Amino acid sequence: VWHYFIKEFEAGKSCRYKFIVDDIWTADPKNFLREDDGMGSYVSIIQPLIMHEGTQLSYRVIGKNRIEFRLYKPHARMVSLVGDFNGWNPENDLLRKGRDGIWRLTKRLSAGTYRYKFIIDGTWSEDLYNRDSASDDTGRVCSRIRVE
């Protein structure tokens, strides 16, 4: 069994492909989505899989010591991340809003336990979908993340 993993598609584009079997180019016999290749044969087509993350998001680990902080707030104008890792400074880590209304920021964090909050249009808020919580220095609830 041969396989090839396509890492990412350009937004809205499809992928056209063929196989070489015994030195002969051929369309994928298991994929009925195909079009004329203009040379008397067919080319197979893959449409990008659109995955929706939903709206109940928290952070996710995306690599060794790499964390993606996520928050669904489509109507927010500004979101920043504050915590033990940046001195609770609201200017250090600004999230970027995607077309899907999800704000994202990727950070590298050393192994350890960190407390954090989001600041959404000036209002401090814990990560509502992270079940691990703690108290901040003022005694209010904040979210906690453990990086291994």
Side-chain angles (χ1 to χ4, degrees):
V1 175
W2 295 88
H3 65 272
Y4 181 80
F5 293 101
I6 299 172
K7 291 183 180 180
E8 58 185 56
F9 280 101
E10 191 174 322
K13 301 263 181 158
S14 59
C15 178
R16 298 166 37 114
Y17 69 98
K18 282 188 171 187
F19 295 124
I20 299 177
V21 179
D22 296 328
D23 294 324
I24 299 172
W25 286 95
T26 183
D28 184 345
K30 298 287 187 180
N31 181 358
F32 297 104
L33 184 58
R34 56 178 73 172
E35 65 184 32
D36 187 342
D37 70 357
M39 294 182 278
S41 186
Y42 294 96
V43 61
S44 299
I45 300 171
I46 297 175
Q47 298 293 337
L49 176 64
I50 299 172
M51 294 177 53
H52 298 283
E53 293 186 88
T55 60
Q56 298 176 351
L57 301 171
S58 184
Y59 70 87
R60 67 178 175 181
V61 178
I62 58 172
K64 176 91 171 122
N65 296 353
R66 288 184 56 215
I67 310 296
E68 182 183 52
F69 290 90
R70 306 173 305 165
L71 177 71
Y72 179 74
K73 286 289 181 187
H75 302 295
R77 293 175 301 176
M78 178 180 268
V79 176
S80 68
L81 176 69
V82 294
D84 294 325
F85 42 76
N86 67 8
W88 298 88
N89 185 334
E91 296 177 1
N92 284 351
D93 292 312
L94 299 176
L95 284 76
R96 287 190 165 187
K97 183 178 175 183
R99 290 184 184 176
D100 53 6
I102 299 172
W103 293 79
R104 295 177 178 89
L105 171 73
T106 301
K107 281 192 70 66
R108 286 194 182 278
L109 295 175
S110 301
T113 301
Y114 303 93
R115 299 172 300 165
Y116 70 96
K117 285 187 173 186
F118 294 111
I119 302 179
I120 307 160
D121 294 334
T123 302
W124 292 59
S125 173
E126 64 273 5
D127 184 343
L128 297 176
Y129 298 104
N130 177 358
R131 290 186 254 155
D132 194 357
S133 63
S135 295
D136 63 17
D137 292 341
T138 64
R140 293 198 169 103
V141 175
C142 65
S143 301
R144 183 169 53 187
I145 182 173
R146 292 184 176 110
V147 179
E148 298 179 8

